[in-house]
């Protein structure tokens, strides 16, 4: 069953480590922003990013979310679940900038994983473009099976 169906674009969904929350990106406010909703679906939605954000990722303990802000800056947001009445409430701290990633600009809603967060949140692996690396040529070999049989 669909998790979320709106007239907006939603993308890049990822479950929290405990499976009770889904972080995702949406353009419902205009620019793409990162949000969290409860899972299974229930009332409540929390905006994680300020001034734009995509590609949310959870720290393994669920106490922090990361996302890419405009300009490909990696941001971190401390989060906490508080029990208030019959359902939990998601509390969000102010986003903190970490570093510029050098990830190439991508189209909005791009789904591929661009970075990975270590379980403790202290190391982050980023898929970047080399600043001075020349583009490697692409070589296409046609009829390679026949060449292999001949020993070429």
């Amino acid at each position: 069953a669909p998790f979320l169906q709106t007239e907006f674009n939603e993308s890049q969904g990822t479950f929290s480590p405990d499976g009770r929350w889904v972080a995702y990106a949406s353009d419902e406010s205009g620019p793409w922003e990162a949000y969290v909703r409860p899972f299974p679906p229930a009332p409540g939605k929390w905006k994680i990013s300020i001034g734009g954000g995509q590609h949310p990722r959870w720290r393994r303990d669920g106490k922090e979310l990361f996302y890419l802000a405009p300009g490909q800056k990696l941001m971190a947001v401390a989060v906490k679940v508080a029990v208030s009445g019959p359902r939990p409430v998601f509390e969000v701290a102010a986003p903190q900038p970490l570093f510029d990633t050098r990830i190439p600009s991508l189209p909005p809603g791009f789904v591929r994983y661009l970075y990975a967060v270590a379980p403790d949140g202290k190391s982050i692996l980023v898929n970047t473009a080399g600043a001075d690396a020349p583009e490697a040529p692409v070589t296409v070999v046609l009829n390679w099976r026949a060449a292999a049989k001949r020993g070429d």
Side-chain angles (χ1 to χ4, degrees), residues 52-115:
Q54 293 192 72
H55 304 283
R57 297 287 170 267
W58 296 91
R59 191 170 79 186
R60 186 181 206 167
D61 63 7
K63 294 182 180 179
E64 193 170 32
L65 267 166
F66 302 89
Y67 68 89
L68 286 177
Q72 307 305 67
K73 182 178 288 293
L74 192 67
M75 306 292 285
V77 178
V79 297
K80 181 170 82 170
V81 176
V83 178
S84 175
R87 61 186 173 98
V89 175
F90 200 79
E91 294 180 0
V92 180
Q96 301 297 313
L98 297 179
F99 56 87
D100 293 326
T101 64
R102 289 190 0 201
I103 293 172
S105 293
L106 301 166
F110 187 79
V111 180
R112 184 180 297 162
Y113 286 93
L114 303 172
Y115 65 96

Side-chain angles (χ1 to χ4, degrees), residues 104-152:
S105 293
L106 301 166
F110 187 79
V111 180
R112 184 180 297 162
Y113 286 93
L114 303 172
Y115 65 96
V117 179
D120 63 2
K122 293 181 181 177
S123 299
I124 299 171
L125 180 66
V126 180
N127 186 6
T128 65
D132 299 326
E135 290 189 26
V138 175
T139 303
V140 178
V141 178
L142 302 175
N143 204 16
W144 61 270
R145 287 187 179 161
K149 287 180 185 176
R150 290 192 314 266
D152 293 351

